[in-house]
Amino acid sequence: MDKSVNNMATALFGGTFNPIHFGHLTIASELADLLQVDKIQLIPCAFPPHRGQPQASAEQRLAMLELAINRQPKLTANPIELHRDAPSYSIDTVTLLREQIGDQQPLFFCIGLDSLVTLPSWHRWQELLDYCHIVLASRPGTKLPAAGPLIDWIAENNCEDLSIMQQQPAGSVYFCNLSMLDISSTDIRDKLAKGQDIDFLTPTKVVEYIQQHHLYE
Ligand code: ATP
């Protein structure tokens, strides 16, 4: 594939990152390789529409994200959702990104399978493919429902050839199987609440930040 074309693509990976962990970092780095982009943008959700406000503020979650990606050349943080009032809808984020990059450039919005399962409850979810492709990464312990609007939508929009998607700005859904690390932010918060250590679940700088700010105690 012509690398000059690939370099024009933009890739996003959104999450609450409460806190960021090695599962996020591994999957994001592998997605950057798969999509052949120089960098993948990690976008912390400021005001998650589908859950209560996280214990760590959006600024703290962004700070941990920046500490975590410090030495990772393929990852960058984009605080775009921190600049908007609540709630942080993905459709608003991809609309804004599309305005910034123009009509032609492929825009890949990457999410894990557990997020995909909730997609039909997202604000204007069926419009997302007007602005971006959706790349789905498998996640341990998550399965798709057997039938329903989500399955119909996947059948209608699924594409198995990434090189075709690289030539189009938006409109397709692509499934990929990447490293499956069985780590979650919930698990990290639970461990911290019980006073257990989280040393091998997230980078040391994040562990230190959590300790300094007495998060998740
Ligand atoms: P929580 O436990 O609080 O729900 P989380 O660990 O699922 O958090 P999020 O910030 O909600 O993390 O996830 C952001 C994105 O990263 C989602 O699309 C999610 O599917 C994906 N993701 C999180 N952890 C992993 C993992 N271990 N492997 C693959 N994808 C992951």
Side-chain angles (χ1 to χ4, degrees), residues 13-14 27 110-117 135-139 142:
F13 184 59
I27 216 92
C110 306
I111 57 175
L113 206 54
D114 56 316
S115 301
L116 174 73
V117 172
V135 176
L136 297 157
S138 48
R139 177 110 192 246
T142 310

Side-chain angles (χ1 to χ4, degrees), residues 13-24 27 51 110-116 137-140 179-189:
F13 184 59
T16 312
F17 305 125
N18 183 37
I20 183 107
H21 54 67
F22 283 128
H24 298 129
I27 216 92
R51 47 174 100 190
C110 306
I111 57 175
L113 206 54
D114 56 316
S115 301
L116 174 73
S138 48
R139 177 110 192 246
S179 295
M180 300 216 279
L181 296 186
D182 197 3
I183 304 175
S184 72
S185 301
T186 302
D187 186 31
I188 292 178
R189 295 193 302 272

Side-chain angles (χ1 to χ4, degrees), residues 44-138:
C45 180
F47 304 102
H50 293 107
R51 47 174 100 190
Q53 196 55 22
Q55 189 194 335
S57 69
E59 288 73 20
Q60 288 172 324
R61 289 181 283 114
L62 174 64
M64 291 188 277
L65 180 50
E66 285 173 338
L67 288 170
I69 63 176
N70 190 25
R71 286 164 180 270
Q72 311 242 2
K74 287 180 249 168
L75 311 184
T76 186
N78 184 341
I80 186 169
E81 294 191 353
L82 274 67
H83 302 147
R84 294 204 306 266
D85 291 339
S88 308
Y89 292 127
S90 295
I91 186 71
D92 295 334
T93 301
V94 295
T95 304
L96 199 58
L97 262 293
R98 175 53 71 198
E99 278 171 25
Q100 290 175 3
I101 65 177
D103 290 347
Q104 300 304 316
Q105 194 183 110
L107 177 59
F108 293 101
F109 181 55
C110 306
I111 57 175
L113 206 54
D114 56 316
S115 301
L116 174 73
V117 172
T118 67
L119 194 68
S121 66
W122 294 16
H123 184 55
R124 293 167 52 205
W125 69 281
Q126 278 156 320
E127 293 171 48
L128 285 167
L129 291 181
D130 295 341
Y131 299 91
C132 61
H133 297 299
I134 295 189
V135 176
L136 297 157
S138 48

